[in-house]
Amino acid sequence: MRSFPPGASKAPVKFRMPTAENLVPIRLDIDIDGQRFKDAFTWNPSDPDSEVSNFAKRTVKDLKLPPAFVTQISQSIQTQLAEFHSFEGQDMHIKEKIVPLKIDLRVNNTVIRDQFLWDVSNLESDPEEFARTFCQDMDIGDPEVGPAIAVSIREQLYEIATQSVSSAREARVGKKGRRGSDIVANSKAGNTVDLGKLFGSKGSVIRKRKEWYLYEPIVDILSNEEVGALDAREELNARLKRKLDEKEDSFQTRYSHG
Amino acid sequence: MTSAPPPAAQAPVLSPTNPPPPQQLPLSSPVSAVKSEVPVAESRDPPASVSSLPPEPSPVPAAASYTITIPSCSAWFSWDQIHDTERRILPEFFDGKSASKNPGVYKYYRDYIIKRFRGNPSRKITFTDARRGLVGDVGSIRRVFDFLEEWGLINYTPLVKPSAKEKRETDEGSEKKEIPRRICTNCKSPCGMTCFRTDKADIMLCAKCYVRGDYRPGLSSTDFKRVDVTEEIKTDWTDKETLHLLEAVLQYGEDWKKVAAHVGTRSEIDCVSRFIKLPFGEQFLGHEEASENDKPHHKNDEVITTPGEENDPEQDCPKRMRLTPLADASNPIMAQVAFLSAVVDSDVAQAAAQAAISALHKVDIGGGIQTSAVGAKDEGSSAADSQVYSESLNEAITEAESQLEKEEKDVDQYLSDIVQIQMKEIQDEIVHFEELELLLEKDRLQLQYMKDLLFADQLSILQHKPRQVSKDGEKVKPTNLVS
């Protein structure tokens, strides 16, 4: 097998998540009056908009949050869905075929770190199936880990998909100039795995032993104190970040007026 | 209530039910309503019919001290199978349009949600709990969750009955407001005959409060629905009364006047509604009617006690489901027979069926004469006697023949089931033996290996011996050992 020439790709596909089910990862991080609500889940963009408000109401009711959250949650979901929809209808070139994905998250008491290769051009891939199998194989007791993994994978795939949309746009623009090939080369240098090396005469599909440790999933269970410490640190970071953002905003307004 | 006009394809449990005989029309259709009207009506209806007719809880033994109950309309549920109801109401998982939405995924969602609820049945599981623990898109999870909740497979707490078996169920069941109670939220007095409900605010008013207009400013009189409580009131039927009722039904068949007279303390309507609510009333199985000869008499007492037992409906469910294609709800005797056959072993059922068939042959002519005699009296004309006689005789014969066929089919079905089970047993044994073989083979190999080692040791010893001997005497060549 020859090495693949850079820029070789399939015909452009209409934007969609490169998975069997065209589902969008949604992340919520809302703070009202000091009460913080964080959540992440997968949403089906073909569900009607009424679903969003129903879901928000139901979540607020189930978790006994103050009703002010309902509008915030709805808005946040709508925004993210709108962003997704804005990409729809555009073309994307799926150039990067196999990319390494990383999982690095903490759900309640469980810490998961893993990296693996994912075929982005496989439009039938199923992150949910992966997450389910992962939890089963690694004997993870906490049921909330599965959805978190699935969402994380989807987010990364979403990012790759959106990048490939912008690269498609740039490629069209840059066809006239040399810029196009540069951009293509750059984006390729990023994260792809060079298939030529892997499947070429010198390569082998079997991973080298010394690389095994890189790709082994790590699942850790933390004690409650550690969890508490990590939570506190995260809170602190989030608060600092918010303060910085506010400062930035105030600078902008000051300088835009002045 | 309409005479049950179920399109056959939709009834998950019943074959097309014959419209009940006229005098039972208003009252016995709730029976079929519990099972067939539920899917026949728009699929949104299940909650309405579930709550307006108190479904008979079929107790499911669960964790040590809890009794999980599910409404009888959901009796089809079983862990190992996916029922037609589920396929119908959640087609997205079964139409093969997407590879990742398949029956396995549906089962995973459903089992997880139900297990999670049953792990802590005193607490209602919320949708957020469920979706947080499930991998998948929240839209589909929500639909599965709603479906399960509608059909009472989760978050279902039945009304509290004063009888002993219900006392074990959660006390919170009586506090739940979704199930209509007889206390008016306004005046805190029992509602009596009718009450008025509104979905907007989960309020129930008695007739007086409703008329007075004593409700919150946000509501108007149009928001209230009238709910007749009389149908929901649980009459405290004692065992004795139930026994009388069943005896009377056996004796007088569908003549509810006489049945009520026999029971004594209950009106006709009460008798009928009670009879319907008895568990066997919902086991719609077509079975030989000749069991009126042998079964009911010695099983009668059992019938009273078995509804009170903690049957394992999960065992019954597959059995019921197997036998339900032959359902015939119209005849209460048949219904009773059906229930008995479900409770009893397949061998006994088979024997009874065969006895029934032979008895039917005898009864055939006799029955024909009887029905014809009755027909003749009704006609009231002597000239048409013989014609009516032969006509009704023929009718009786054809009916008997068809039931005979049914019976034979039943028997065939039993036989094939038995054979299937045997086959499965044999297959399991084969697998087991294969495993044993494998183990034995391994052992044998190991033994062989040990033997070889031993042989090698022996060899070396024997080789050393001659050398030692040679130290004393002449050198002896090591002998060639033949293995």
Side-chain angles (χ1 to χ4, degrees):
Chain A
M1 250 202 227
R2 303 274 178 77
S3 57
F4 288 83
S9 62
K10 308 202 283 212
V13 175
K14 284 293 170 198
F15 177 80
R16 51 162 289 181
M17 288 287 289
T19 55
E21 289 280 320
N22 197 16
L23 304 173
V24 184
I26 305 267
R27 205 166 265 281
L28 297 175
D29 191 351
I30 304 174
D31 199 315
I32 298 184
D33 296 336
Q35 192 172 1
R36 194 145 179 249
F37 170 62
K38 280 186 73 171
D39 205 352
F41 49 86
T42 328
W43 189 270
N44 189 340
S46 50
D47 277 346
D49 282 332
S50 52
E51 277 287 324
V52 177
S53 53
N54 281 342
F55 176 81
K57 282 187 209 146
R58 211 157 173 182
T59 310
V60 166
K61 182 176 125 192
D62 289 345
L63 297 173
K64 301 190 177 49
L65 300 169
F69 274 90
V70 176
T71 39
Q72 289 272 15
I73 293 177
S74 304
Q75 266 176 15
S76 175
I77 300 179
Q78 299 275 25
T79 321
Q80 298 183 55
L81 283 179
E83 195 189 319
F84 179 80
H85 284 305
S86 72
F87 281 109
E88 274 177 348
Q90 303 191 24
D91 291 338
M92 66 173 184
H93 287 277
I94 305 193
K95 291 198 189 76
E96 288 96 333
K97 297 245 170 99
I98 298 192
V99 290
L101 296 185
K102 282 200 171 62
I103 308 277
D104 189 354
L105 29 98
R106 180 179 69 81
V107 177
N108 300 337
N109 286 33
T110 322
V111 172
I112 299 111
R113 276 195 296 279
D114 193 8
Q115 75 168 344
F116 45 86
L117 302 172
W118 193 278
D119 181 357
V120 178
S121 63
N122 175 17
L123 297 177
E124 296 297 318
S125 61
D126 195 348
E128 275 76 34
E129 181 73 41
F130 179 90
R132 266 180 250 133
T133 319
F134 185 93
C135 293
Q136 226 176 339
D137 290 344
M138 304 299 291
D139 239 337
I140 296 184
D142 191 347
E144 299 190 10
V145 171
I149 296 179
V151 173
S152 171
I153 295 177
R154 274 199 186 271
E155 281 180 331
Q156 299 180 56
L157 292 176
Y158 187 30
E159 212 184 300
I160 293 173
T162 49
Q163 276 177 1
S164 53
V165 169
S166 45
S167 73
R169 245 184 284 143
E170 287 165 0
R172 263 184 281 136
V173 165
K175 256 186 195 154
K176 300 194 175 158
R178 269 169 259 139
R179 243 186 286 149
S181 54
D182 283 342
I183 290 173
V184 165
N186 277 340
S187 60
K188 194 170 191 298
N191 12 8
T192 49
V193 172
D194 193 351
L195 284 177
K197 249 194 265 169
L198 263 190
F199 296 117
S201 51
K202 287 208 181 140
S204 138
V205 191
I206 301 178
R207 192 169 274 148
K208 297 199 194 70
R209 216 175 248 271
K210 53 186 176 178
E211 288 181 18
W212 283 8
Y213 76 97
L214 283 175
Y215 291 93
E216 227 177 305
I218 301 174
V219 176
D220 265 330
I221 314 273
L222 302 174
S223 67
N224 287 335
E225 303 92 50
E226 292 171 314
V227 172
L230 282 172
D231 272 340
R233 214 183 306 157
E234 268 176 33
E235 270 289 315
L236 202 60
N237 286 342
R239 238 177 283 146
L240 287 172
K241 187 171 175 291
R242 243 174 287 134
K243 284 216 185 101
L244 277 172
D245 287 342
E246 283 171 19
K247 272 199 188 149
E248 261 183 47
D249 286 345
S250 70
F251 278 144
Q252 280 184 354
T253 52
R254 219 186 296 164
Y255 284 115
S256 64
H257 286 325
Chain B
M1 295 233 195
T2 60
S3 65
Q10 284 194 354
V13 171
L14 309 174
S15 66
T17 58
N18 306 319
Q23 70 263 34
Q24 286 193 343
L25 190 59
L27 296 163
S28 74
S29 38
V31 176
S32 38
V34 174
K35 283 216 165 146
S36 71
E37 191 178 287
V38 165
V40 167
E42 310 87 48
S43 57
R44 298 289 161 247
D45 260 351
S49 40
V50 163
S51 55
S52 63
L53 306 162
E56 193 68 23
S58 11
V60 176
S65 52
Y66 290 117
T67 323
I68 311 263
T69 59
I70 56 172
S72 51
C73 61
S74 304
W76 44 260
F77 169 70
S78 105
W79 288 106
D80 304 322
Q81 303 184 18
I82 298 179
H83 194 261
D84 283 338
T85 318
E86 305 173 276
R87 284 180 201 271
R88 199 170 34 80
I89 297 187
L90 295 166
E92 58 187 309
F93 294 99
F94 303 103
D95 54 17
K97 279 193 203 144
S98 56
S100 49
K101 269 199 194 164
N102 51 50
V105 166
Y106 165 73
K107 193 170 184 297
Y108 157 68
Y109 290 164
R110 173 194 81 173
D111 292 350
Y112 174 83
I113 297 179
I114 298 186
K115 274 201 192 114
R116 188 141 175 184
F117 168 66
R118 290 190 182 175
N120 190 356
S122 53
R123 182 181 164 278
K124 280 193 178 242
I125 182 175
T126 62
F127 165 62
T128 308
D129 283 341
R131 66 106 173 141
R132 277 200 164 157
L134 279 175
V135 184
D137 80 283
V138 293
S140 328
I141 299 178
R142 181 195 63 81
R143 284 188 281 274
V144 176
F145 184 86
D146 283 344
F147 162 71
L148 293 175
E149 197 165 24
E150 261 181 35
W151 283 73
L153 288 162
I154 55 174
N155 294 348
Y156 173 71
T157 42
L159 292 172
V160 170
K161 270 190 185 173
S163 61
K165 76 169 170 169
E166 256 77 29
K167 284 233 176 76
R168 269 180 278 147
E169 283 158 3
T170 83
D171 288 330
E172 290 144 73
S174 56
E175 310 306 327
K176 291 288 181 278
K177 282 198 203 153
E178 300 88 55
I179 302 169
R181 293 282 295 163
R182 292 188 272 157
I183 309 288
C184 165
T185 35
N186 230 2
C187 54
K188 304 284 185 249
S189 61
C191 278
M193 296 297 279
T194 57
C195 56
F196 291 84
R197 273 192 61 184
T198 180
D199 288 318
K200 284 196 183 177
D202 211 3
I203 289 180
M204 170 165 303
L205 299 181
C206 67
K208 282 195 196 142
C209 290
Y210 176 69
V211 165
R212 247 187 291 152
D214 224 357
Y215 25 81
R216 276 180 14 196
L219 306 166
S220 72
S221 58
T222 48
D223 290 329
F224 281 83
K225 265 188 317 194
R226 180 197 162 115
V227 172
D228 277 323
V229 178
T230 33
E231 287 177 29
E232 306 166 26
I233 291 178
K234 295 254 182 304
T235 50
D236 293 353
W237 278 72
T238 65
D239 284 345
K240 218 178 174 189
E241 286 176 330
T242 323
L243 180 61
H244 282 312
L245 171 65
L246 289 168
E247 279 176 358
V249 166
L250 280 168
Q251 221 177 334
Y252 304 115
E254 289 161 358
D255 192 345
W256 293 104
K257 266 200 189 133
K258 292 197 185 150
V259 169
H262 186 106
V263 171
T265 55
R266 300 283 171 175
S267 70
E268 268 183 63
I269 296 178
D270 279 344
C271 288
V272 178
S273 53
R274 173 64 185 168
F275 184 76
I276 288 164
K277 286 175 200 155
L278 288 174
F280 62 73
E282 297 153 1
Q283 309 296 323
F284 300 132
L285 302 165
H287 218 69
E288 244 345 281
E289 67 201 349
S291 62
E292 60 202 14
N293 295 332
D294 31 14
K295 271 197 172 178
H297 293 293
H298 66 265
K299 289 265 185 184
N300 209 1
D301 294 330
E302 236 182 90
V303 169
I304 311 297
T305 52
T306 42
E309 277 171 12
E310 299 279 297
N311 278 335
D312 188 355
E314 304 215 355
Q315 270 178 15
D316 280 355
C317 272
K319 203 172 180 183
R320 276 184 229 154
M321 276 156 58
R322 266 187 283 134
L323 301 173
T324 47
L326 311 166
D328 178 5
S330 53
N331 193 339
I333 307 296
M334 298 269 266
Q336 184 185 1
V337 165
F339 169 73
L340 293 171
S341 75
V343 165
V344 123
D345 277 345
S346 55
D347 289 351
V348 180
Q350 194 177 355
Q354 282 181 344
I357 294 171
S358 50
L360 190 65
H361 283 304
K362 294 179 207 155
V363 167
D364 206 8
I365 312 286
I369 296 176
Q370 268 196 349
T371 53
S372 71
V374 170
K377 276 187 204 146
D378 285 349
E379 300 285 301
S381 92
S382 54
D385 257 2
S386 52
Q387 197 184 10
V388 167
Y389 177 98
S390 59
E391 268 177 21
S392 43
L393 186 60
N394 285 338
E395 272 177 35
I397 289 177
T398 47
E399 201 195 312
E401 273 175 17
S402 69
Q403 280 174 344
L404 200 68
E405 270 178 44
K406 249 195 246 170
E407 211 32 62
E408 283 174 5
K409 268 191 230 163
D410 263 355
V411 171
D412 282 337
Q413 177 74 17
Y414 292 145
L415 281 176
S416 76
D417 285 340
I418 291 172
V419 167
Q420 244 182 340
I421 293 176
Q422 298 279 31
M423 290 281 303
K424 183 147 196 309
E425 274 180 33
I426 291 176
Q427 276 174 351
D428 286 344
E429 279 190 42
I430 288 178
V431 168
H432 183 235
F433 281 133
E434 275 176 14
E435 284 174 27
L436 270 180
E437 244 187 79
L438 193 65
L439 285 173
L440 281 177
E441 181 65 27
K442 282 190 185 159
D443 277 342
R444 194 184 67 79
L445 283 173
Q446 195 160 23
L447 188 64
Q448 184 69 27
Y449 178 63
M450 304 280 292
K451 270 193 192 165
D452 289 342
L453 281 180
L454 184 64
F455 179 64
D457 285 343
Q458 283 177 333
L459 247 181
S460 56
I461 288 176
L462 283 171
Q463 279 182 348
H464 284 190
K465 259 199 202 157
R467 266 192 227 129
Q468 286 209 332
V469 171
S470 76
K471 277 186 193 168
D472 309 322
E474 62 270 341
K475 248 191 180 173
V476 179
K477 276 197 185 150
T479 49
N480 268 342
L481 292 165
V482 182
S483 61

